[in-house]
Amino acid sequence: MLRNALEPWHLILLLVVCVLVFGSKKLPDMARSLGRSMRILKSETQALRGEGGDRGDRSDRP
């Protein structure tokens, strides 16, 4: 059923629709801001994981 759910022509069609909706001038800015957001999310996730390990060490101490 979902064997060939995402074919190359689906991606091309999606790209064309994005260009038509948002315009070619705004797409690079949107991609840049999405990349920044992903980097921030990744660094925050790593910081939370680091805090989680520190908390485990502190809870063992009286």
Side-chain angles (χ1 to χ4, degrees):
M1 186 168 138
L2 293 174
R3 190 169 155 192
N4 292 326
L6 193 59
E7 295 181 9
W9 68 271
H10 288 120
L11 296 175
I12 293 170
L13 183 64
L14 182 64
L15 182 65
V16 168
V17 169
C18 286
V19 168
L20 289 175
V21 170
F22 296 112
S24 60
K25 291 185 180 181
K26 289 195 174 197
L27 283 177
D29 293 334
M30 291 174 62
R32 193 173 301 117
S33 66
L34 180 64
R36 287 180 187 154
S37 299
M38 292 302 291
R39 270 185 256 131
I40 291 170
L41 180 65
K42 183 178 177 182
S43 67
E44 291 295 323
T45 304
Q46 289 175 350
L48 286 174
R49 286 183 182 168
E51 286 179 9
D54 293 341
R55 287 185 184 174
D57 293 341
R58 291 181 190 160
S59 65
D60 293 341
R61 297 178 188 163

